[in-house]
């Protein structure tokens, strides 16, 4: 669910602080309206209606009773003559034209006036005129009275208008009295709202750097994922942390550490586009969100830019600090469907980046706990027992004779769905799931069985098998090797075990014990990938090693990189000085072959001779003796080329093909 986070800071006058003002205005308006309506209603409504009613009642009373004793039927039929008229004037003045009755008019049946009389006192105010039927004996007519409205209205109820006036004044007074209280209240509310806004900012931002924190970052990633689901674009989530930050903190103090974090946060921002965001998740960990990235390539480019921005010298608290950082990248939708999954993948990639020193994109093989990887672990167990694990062989040739004298066994997994898997894709998994010993035993068994078959076919080939640190931790390992040699009746001198430098170094004492036991038995030992690890030569010297294999990365690069050429030459010299045979891996061209032979290297392994192939294909290679033919050919060509190419630049030479395996 999205958090109610303001993207940009809004107006500082909070709505709650404006509320009292509005309330006061409404209250005043309501008071005025209510008072006005009341006055209006009381003034025009009930007063007027009441006057008309009492006027009519009084006219009815006069017509029905008072005038019955005053008028005669003839007075309605025609206007009375003089003496009668004077008598009527007197009677009317006495009995009718009084108490607010200002004028009385009597009409006959045809509507003609037969008598009219008025009161003496004049009146200018409003009057109420009422006409009622009048019957005297058999004569019928009407009586019309004009009555003083003031006399009629003033007769009922209390004086409301002054009362309402007082109420209105009181209400206004109350409003005025409340105004300072309301103002105080409003001030307090405004303060409160500002505090709330600050608290909200703190809840979603890092206090040290002011950058968004984890909660806000989470929310932004969610928004980006929603947009991406709509338009199908890719989103990158990156995690960056500083190498050795703890050391910096401990050595130069927290103040320097804090200042450094602020500067790093700023620098990451410089590398990003406007639409990207950077957050600090805690400690020295920063996160970057980049939406609409151009796939893995775009994300890598952005990460490299960020790394370049961050990796620099910072002048902080009077000291100069060199900063290195690691970046792990996860992509949506490739690596995860939600924020949590993406952060998890970016974290795994970041740890990988620490090892490689370069921005790293998440890859399944880094992830020891993903569902896919767990599934592969289960499948590997089954594969071991169901014959899906196969061994291929890559020949090694002597520079001296040009002949293939041995092979290296290289394992593959013939996966039913994923095809042929290279060892890098499952050896680490086998190590983590405890299946490596079973795997090594299987490869050893297959390689020695193959060796026996070759021997039976008259081919004298020794075989090299790769082993890991885990194998060396097993005290029974040397016994396993011996019993397999025995099982296939292969002489120990025909088996070479290859171990990498780091493998030996993980538990040198135990490794030495196992290696000594094997060497004593007659098995040959090789240090694989020499030059790529951190081995200590003094230590290696104490091991019963027979062979040094130069790491292929140096051999592949020696034509274009002088440093690599120097490493290759010195490794050959070093190996010879220690009394070891030196093998070059990665020999993929005739040029490399010639160069290494000149340098005195003992053996070559590489695509120039053959790629790793199934066992029977090695037999084909040997039987046709194409290896020797190819190398003789290569030598002839090389000699021709020598004069021509001595001045050549260090351009890499294209692979001329696979002379032995094709
Ligand atoms: P490695 O022992 O250094 O084996 C040499 C690797 O270099 C092989 O890769 C091989 O195919 C490759 N290679 C050989 N010549 C050339 C070349 O001219 N150019 C290039 N680019 N590559 C070349 P592969 O078979 O993929 O094996 C990779 C690594 O896996 C091996 O490196 C070894 O460390 C490990 N491995 C292979 N089989 C086993 C095994 O049975 N057990 C154990 N524990 N590890 C094994
Ligand atoms: Mg090897
Ligand atoms: Mg190697």
């Amino acid at each position: 669910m999205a958090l109610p986070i303001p993207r940009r800071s809004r107006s500082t006058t909070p709505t709650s602080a404006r509320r009292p003002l509005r309330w006061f205005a409404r209250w005043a308006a309501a008071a005025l309206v209510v008072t006005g309506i009341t006055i209006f209603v009381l003034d025009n409504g009930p007063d007027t209606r009441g006057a008309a009613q009492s006027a009519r009642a009084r006219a009815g009373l006069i017509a029905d009773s008072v005038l019955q004793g005053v008028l005669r039927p003839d007075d309605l039929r025609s206007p009375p003559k003089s003496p009668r008229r004077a008598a009527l004037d007197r009677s009317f003045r006495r009995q009718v034209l009084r108490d607010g009755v200002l004028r009385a008019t009597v009409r006959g049946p045809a509507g003609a006036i037969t008598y009219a009389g008025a009161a003496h006192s004049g009146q200018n105010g409003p009057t109420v005129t009422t006409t009622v039927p009048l019957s005297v004996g058999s004569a019928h007519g009407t009586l019309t009275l004009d009555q003083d409205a003031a006399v009629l209205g003033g007769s009922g109820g209390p004086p409301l208008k002054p009362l309402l006036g007082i109420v209105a004044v009181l209400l206004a007074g109350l409003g005025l009295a409340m105004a300072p209280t309301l103002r105080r209240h409003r001030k307090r509310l405004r303060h409160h709202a500002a505090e709330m806004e600050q608290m909200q900012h703190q809840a979603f931002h890092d206090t040290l750097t002011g950058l968004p924190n984890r909660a806000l970052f989470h929310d932004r990633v969610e928004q980006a994922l929603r947009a991406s689901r709509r338009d199908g674009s890719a989103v990158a989530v990156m995690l960056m942390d500083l190498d050795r930050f703890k050391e910096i903190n401990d050595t130069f103090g927290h103040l320097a550490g804090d200042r450094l974090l602020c500067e790093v946060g700023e620098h990451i921002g410089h590398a990003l586009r406007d639409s990207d965001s950077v957050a600090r998740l805690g400690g020295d960990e920063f996160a970057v969100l980049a939406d609409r990235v151009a796939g893995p390539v775009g994300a890598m480019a952005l990460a490299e830019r960020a790394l370049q921005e961050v990796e620099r010298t910072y002048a902080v608290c009077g000291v100069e600090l060199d900063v290195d950082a690691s970046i792990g990248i996860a992509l949506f939708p490739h690596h995860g469907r939600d924020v949590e999954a993406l952060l998890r993948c970016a974290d795994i990639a970041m740890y990988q980046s620490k090892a490689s020193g370069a921005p790293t994109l998440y890859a399944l093989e880094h992830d020891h706990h993903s569902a896919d990887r767990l599934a592969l672990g289960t499948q590997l167990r089954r594969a071991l027992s169901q014959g899906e694990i196969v061994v291929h062989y890559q020949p090694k040739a002597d520079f001296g004779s040009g002949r293939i004298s041995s092979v290296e066994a290289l394992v593959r997994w013939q996966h039913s769905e994923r095809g042929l898997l290279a060892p890098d894709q499952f050896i680490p998994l086998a190590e983590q799931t405890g299946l490596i010993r079973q795997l090594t035993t299987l490869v050893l068994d297959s390689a020695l069985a193959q060796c026996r078959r070759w021997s039976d076919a008259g081919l004298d080939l020794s075989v090299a098998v790769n082993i890991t640190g885990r194998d060396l931790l097993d005290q029974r390992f040397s016994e396993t090797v011996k019993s397999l040699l025995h099982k296939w009746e292969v002489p120990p001198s025909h088996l070479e075990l290859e171990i990498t430098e780091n493998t030996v170094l993980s538990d040198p004492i135990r490794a030495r014990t196992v290696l000594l036991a094997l060497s004593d038995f007659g098995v040959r030992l090789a240090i694989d990938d020499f030059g790529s690890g951190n081995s200590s030569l003094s230590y290696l010297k104490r091991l019963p090693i027979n062979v040094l294999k130069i790491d292929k990365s140096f051999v592949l690069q020696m034509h274009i990189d002088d440093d690599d050429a120097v490493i290759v030459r010195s490794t050959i010299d070093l190996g010879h000085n220690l009394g070891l045979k030196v093998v070059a891996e990665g020999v993929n061209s005739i040029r490399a072959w010639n160069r290494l032979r000149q340098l005195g290297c003992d053996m070559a392994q590489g695509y120039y001779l053959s790629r790793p192939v199934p066992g029977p294909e090695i037999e084909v290679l040997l039987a046709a003796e194409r290896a020797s033919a190819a190398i003789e050919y290569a030598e002839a060509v090389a000699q021709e080329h020598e004069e021509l190419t001595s001045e050549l630049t260090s351009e890499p030479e294209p692979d001329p093909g696979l002379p032995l395996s094709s």
Side-chain angles (χ1 to χ4, degrees), residues 408-410 465-466 498 528-529 549 585 605:
E408 177 174 3
L410 294 161
V465 173
N466 294 281
E498 295 190 3
D528 203 356
D529 302 343
K549 293 187 80 180
E585 304 177 320
Q605 179 182 349

Side-chain angles (χ1 to χ4, degrees), residues 375-587:
L376 209 62
T378 316
Q379 290 166 6
L380 181 60
R381 196 177 299 276
R382 216 175 318 129
L384 279 163
S385 59
Q386 290 181 353
E388 284 185 15
I389 301 299
V390 295
V391 181
H392 285 185
Y393 300 89
Q394 189 176 31
K396 289 188 259 184
D398 284 315
F399 278 108
S401 67
R403 308 273 171 221
I404 291 169
S405 56
S406 57
V407 294
E408 177 174 3
L410 294 161
V411 71
R412 270 95 183 94
W413 178 359
Q414 189 63 63
H415 193 282
S416 49
E417 289 148 26
R418 301 175 187 226
L420 195 67
L421 298 184
D424 295 343
Q425 289 172 275
F426 60 92
I427 296 278
L429 181 67
E431 287 185 290
Q432 285 140 21
T433 49
L435 294 170
I436 191 70
R437 285 180 199 165
Q438 207 182 328
L439 184 90
T440 305
T441 309
L442 192 148
V443 175
L444 263 172
D445 191 54
S446 309
L448 293 174
Q450 181 63 67
C451 201
R452 167 96 324 257
R453 281 197 292 278
W454 283 328
S455 176
D456 291 346
L459 303 172
D460 185 27
L461 283 175
S462 58
V463 66
V465 173
N466 294 281
I467 60 170
T468 70
R470 295 278 175 131
D471 298 316
L472 290 182
L473 293 182
D474 182 3
Q475 295 293 347
R476 291 158 307 170
F477 181 66
S478 54
E479 291 311 314
T480 310
V481 174
K482 284 179 199 173
S483 77
L484 288 173
L485 283 167
H486 185 73
K487 173 182 169 189
W488 295 107
E489 295 176 7
V490 171
S493 59
H494 277 51
L495 175 66
E496 192 169 284
L497 296 177
E498 295 190 3
I499 27 171
T500 62
E501 303 166 66
N502 293 343
T503 301
V504 183
L505 290 177
S506 64
D507 187 348
I509 296 174
R510 204 142 20 146
R512 189 163 182 267
T513 314
V514 178
L515 293 178
L516 278 174
L518 288 164
S519 172
D520 286 349
F521 190 62
V523 172
R524 293 165 59 80
L525 300 171
I527 293 292
D528 203 356
D529 302 343
F530 185 76
S532 65
N534 328 298
S535 53
S536 111
L537 262 183
S538 57
Y539 176 72
L540 287 184
K541 234 170 67 181
R542 292 169 52 213
L543 292 176
I545 301 297
N546 310 92
V547 177
L548 269 195
K549 293 187 80 180
I550 310 173
D551 189 60
K552 63 174 175 289
S553 60
F554 304 116
V555 178
L556 289 167
Q557 297 278 316
M558 67 180 182
H559 292 294
I560 45 173
D561 190 325
D562 289 342
D563 288 347
D564 287 339
V566 170
I567 290 171
V568 170
R569 197 175 46 229
S570 8
T571 307
I572 295 170
D573 294 345
L574 176 86
H576 287 164
N577 289 340
L578 292 172
L580 308 175
K581 285 242 176 279
V582 180
V583 178
E585 304 177 320
V587 180

